């Protein structure tokens, strides 16, 4: 009779106490390999034809004199994905971790590192399969394959094909429910202006064609200040409400994934032109026959200007509407912000 023990929380736990018979002075008995860890085999009692164990149950070999030997059973290497959550990437992305804190794409390994892990990546749309082998030096690894780039959209199946550890034990049978995950690859979002104007006026509408899957998130800057806008349909229109420099900086879709940097959409928004007479003040001036009065127009905006002015009869009431229009003049190609006419010319 002998005891079979195993390390357990710092101590030794007896897991079995078998008895075997032999008619030879030498014998072999089966070692335990169903459990991994350090195993202990201790001969507790020996009986023979003259002293059978059945009649000498209390004849126990003193512990100091017992035959004891040890056995180390190594764990078979195994690998599985921590969860089966679908992963999302964008077209032309490298197959590298997107979020260091996420458990998606995490592989859990058992055995003795370092591990040799073989993976396959199947593009379901094209049926193309690519296999790769990586060396893993820890028990946890996030899929990190910078050499693999997603070249087409659609679902991809990532499968753990095999695993080996440093002891070269035969691997455990991989669980088909946890040895693969799906990766969805979406096209990269894009934004294209309807026209390539570089100048707009305040109040005008700029239109853009959006490519990808709605909703989109468009990032832009006005005079250096960042803004964002969510669009659910294409085309996307934006009314220019303030003068300055307008630049589209990014566009994303798929719940703000597949974000693309935009570097070639920018234009200048100009203020609406305006004009003042007499620097915006109401001026009354009497002139005598033969004299001249200068009328000064202040033009606000960017030259060249074209403006129209009218000469009317004075109002019969102070502060009232001008009287009958006497004449109308249009002046074109004024290259400065000021323009004068003299009453004598009228």
């Amino acid at each position: 009779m002998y005891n079979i023990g195993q390390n357990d929380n710092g101590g030794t736990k007896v897991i079995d106490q078998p008895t075997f018979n032999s008619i030879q002075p030498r014998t072999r008995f089966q070692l335990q390999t169903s459990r991994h860890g350090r195993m202990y085999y201790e001969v507790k009692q020996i009986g023979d034809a003259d002293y059978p164990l059945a009649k000498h149950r209390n004849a126990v070999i003193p512990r100091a004199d017992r035959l004891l030997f040890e056995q180390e059973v190594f764990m078979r290497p195994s690998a599985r994905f921590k969860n089966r959550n679908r992963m999302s990437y964008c077209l032309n992305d490298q197959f590298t971790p997107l979020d260091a804190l996420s458990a998606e794409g995490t592989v859990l390994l058992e055995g003795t590192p370092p591990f040799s892990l073989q993976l396959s990546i199947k593009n379901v749309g094209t049926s193309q399969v690519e296999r790769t082998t990586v060396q893993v030096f820890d028990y946890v690894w996030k899929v990190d394959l910078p050499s693999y780039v997603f070249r087409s959209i659609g679902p991809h199946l990532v499968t753990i094909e095999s695993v080996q550890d440093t002891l070269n034990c035969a691997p455990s049978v991989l669980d088909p429910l946890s040895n693969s995950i799906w990766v969805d690859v979406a096209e990269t979002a894009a934004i294209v202006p309807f026209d390539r104007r570089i100048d707009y006026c305040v109040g005008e509408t700029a239109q853009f064609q959006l490519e990808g899957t709605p909703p989109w998130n468009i990032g832009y800057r006005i005079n250096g200040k960042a803004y964002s806008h969510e669009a659910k349909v294409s085309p996307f229109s934006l009314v220019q409400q303030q003068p300055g420099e307008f630049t589209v900086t990014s566009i994303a879709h798929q719940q703000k994934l597949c974000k693309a940097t935009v570097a070639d959409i920018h234009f200048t928004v100009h203020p609406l032109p305006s004009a003042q007479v007499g620097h915006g003040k109401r001026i009354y001036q009497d002139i005598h026959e033969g004299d001249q009065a200068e009328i000064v127009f202040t033009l606000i905006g960017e030259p060249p200007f074209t403006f129209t002015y009218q000469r009317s009869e004075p109002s019969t009431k102070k502060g009232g509407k001008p009287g009958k229009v006497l004449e109308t003049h249009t002046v074109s190609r004024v290259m400065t912000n000021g323009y004068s006419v003299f009453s004598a010319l009228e």
Side-chain angles (χ1 to χ4, degrees), residues 206-277:
Q207 284 193 310
F208 305 91
Q209 180 71 35
L210 306 179
E211 299 176 359
T213 304
W216 295 271
N217 187 272
I218 300 101
Y220 59 93
R221 291 182 177 272
I222 299 177
N223 297 327
K225 185 176 180 180
Y227 299 87
S228 65
H229 186 93
E230 184 177 283
K232 297 182 179 180
V233 296
S234 178
F236 162 64
S237 300
L238 190 65
V239 178
Q240 304 303 313
Q241 298 181 341
Q242 57 180 300
E245 297 299 319
F246 177 92
T247 303
V248 178
T249 56
S250 65
I251 182 169
H253 67 161
Q254 297 282 75
Q255 289 74 47
K256 296 187 179 181
L257 295 176
C258 298
K259 186 175 182 179
T261 300
V262 180
D264 60 346
I265 301 179
H266 55 272
F267 49 78
T268 301
V269 181
H270 303 279
L272 294 176
S274 60
Q276 296 176 342
V277 179

Side-chain angles (χ1 to χ4, degrees), residues 86-89 95 150 154-158 181-185:
R86 295 181 79 100
M87 304 176 70
S88 296
Y89 281 81
F95 199 1
F150 295 105
H156 291 61
L157 181 63
V158 183
I181 56 171
W182 287 96
V183 177
D184 295 314
V185 180

